[in-house]
Amino acid sequence: MVAQEQVHEEKQDQASAESLAAPQISLEDYMEHYAAQHYEWVEGVLIPMTPATLKHNDLLYYFHTLLHTYFTLQTIGRVIGQPFVIRLPESPNRRREPDLLVVLASNPNTLTETYMDGAPDICIEIVSEESTARDHGEKFAEYEAGGVSEYWIIDSVRHEARFYRLNAEKRYIRQNEDAAGNYTSPALPGLVLHVPTLWAEKLPDPIATVSAVKTMLEQ
């Protein structure tokens, strides 16, 4: 009986998701009712974000702590976590919610209370099995065309991090870590991201992360 009820509930959840995916949601309705509920909006269709795994959450909080600490000590911008909407000029009928986005103080675009109108300086996506094609495909193309200066794709399933920067032709060029596995960005002077740390069974705790960032910036 319990199993039957569970199947029924799963079918209801699936039906609900399918009904939400119908191309009938206006932008206004999306922003008012769904943007804060971990949905993206693509050509009038709601795209539900998959529930995060523990590893996904750990990486999200690690990056947020790392970048929040950095911007506390280097007051040149801020990091914003999802759900937070971005509107890119080349994709007017799409609204994405990156896992994290970085907005520098020098960014000329408009940061409102509920969305970023224009390109952030960095978008960070932490890949899940369900989002692999979207993160490497649709979002790659949209962020590139929309002028997002850097795009970081963090894939804990495959233990792979990809860092892209726009070149003079406004095309993403992949950037490599150094021989020690460190990635640095010209947008974040003094910050060093040690990529192998991302695949550790246990990520550095907030106290260790804050201490590490302080040490980086003192050098």
Side-chain angles (χ1 to χ4, degrees):
M1 189 68 175
V2 174
Q4 288 179 340
E5 291 176 352
Q6 183 176 359
V7 169
H8 179 67
E9 290 175 356
E10 290 175 351
K11 287 183 177 179
Q12 284 186 318
D13 291 342
Q14 182 179 0
S16 177
E18 289 173 353
S19 66
L20 286 175
Q24 57 188 12
I25 304 299
S26 68
L27 175 58
E28 292 75 17
D29 196 19
Y30 163 71
M31 290 298 296
E32 183 176 354
H33 299 290
Y34 299 106
Q37 305 301 321
H38 298 276
Y39 286 93
E40 294 183 331
W41 184 79
V42 178
E43 310 292 340
V45 175
L46 289 176
I47 308 297
M49 301 295 99
T50 303
T53 63
L54 286 176
K55 184 60 177 179
H56 183 284
N57 273 333
D58 288 346
L59 281 167
L60 181 65
Y61 293 135
Y62 172 70
F63 271 102
H64 195 282
T65 302
L66 182 80
L67 292 168
H68 180 72
T69 302
Y70 175 81
F71 286 124
T72 298
L73 299 173
Q74 297 278 86
T75 56
I76 60 171
R78 65 183 300 170
V79 58
I80 304 172
Q82 50 111 354
F84 196 85
V85 177
I86 62 171
R87 174 192 176 277
L88 298 175
E90 298 300 320
S91 305
N93 295 321
R94 295 175 178 236
R95 297 294 183 274
R96 296 298 188 183
E97 296 186 1
D99 285 312
L100 293 163
L101 57 112
V102 167
V103 183
L104 298 179
S106 58
N107 191 304
N109 299 311
T110 302
L111 180 63
T112 76
E113 285 296 315
T114 56
Y115 72 98
M116 177 79 186
D117 191 5
D121 295 278
I122 303 174
C123 282
I124 303 172
E125 297 286 3
I126 300 171
V127 177
S128 63
E129 288 286 8
E130 177 273 336
S131 72
T132 300
R134 184 167 60 249
D135 292 337
H136 286 277
E138 291 180 27
K139 288 189 176 183
F140 181 99
E142 290 172 32
Y143 294 166
E144 181 183 64
V148 178
S149 298
E150 290 195 40
Y151 180 28
W152 301 4
I153 305 176
I154 311 300
D155 190 338
S156 63
V157 177
R158 297 163 185 83
H159 288 189
E160 180 183 53
R162 295 190 177 195
F163 305 96
Y164 296 94
R165 291 183 211 151
L166 289 178
N167 64 7
E169 288 73 41
K170 304 299 181 182
R171 295 293 184 184
Y172 275 144
I173 302 299
R174 186 169 177 180
Q175 310 296 311
N176 295 319
E177 307 95 283
D178 65 18
N182 295 316
Y183 175 73
T184 57
S185 166
L188 307 172
L191 185 71
V192 178
L193 177 63
H194 185 240
V195 174
T197 295
L198 304 177
W199 322 135
E201 184 175 349
K202 185 176 181 180
L203 289 167
D205 62 38
I207 295 174
T209 302
V210 169
S211 177
V213 174
K214 286 182 177 179
T215 299
M216 292 175 200
L217 297 180
E218 289 170 357
Q219 294 177 349

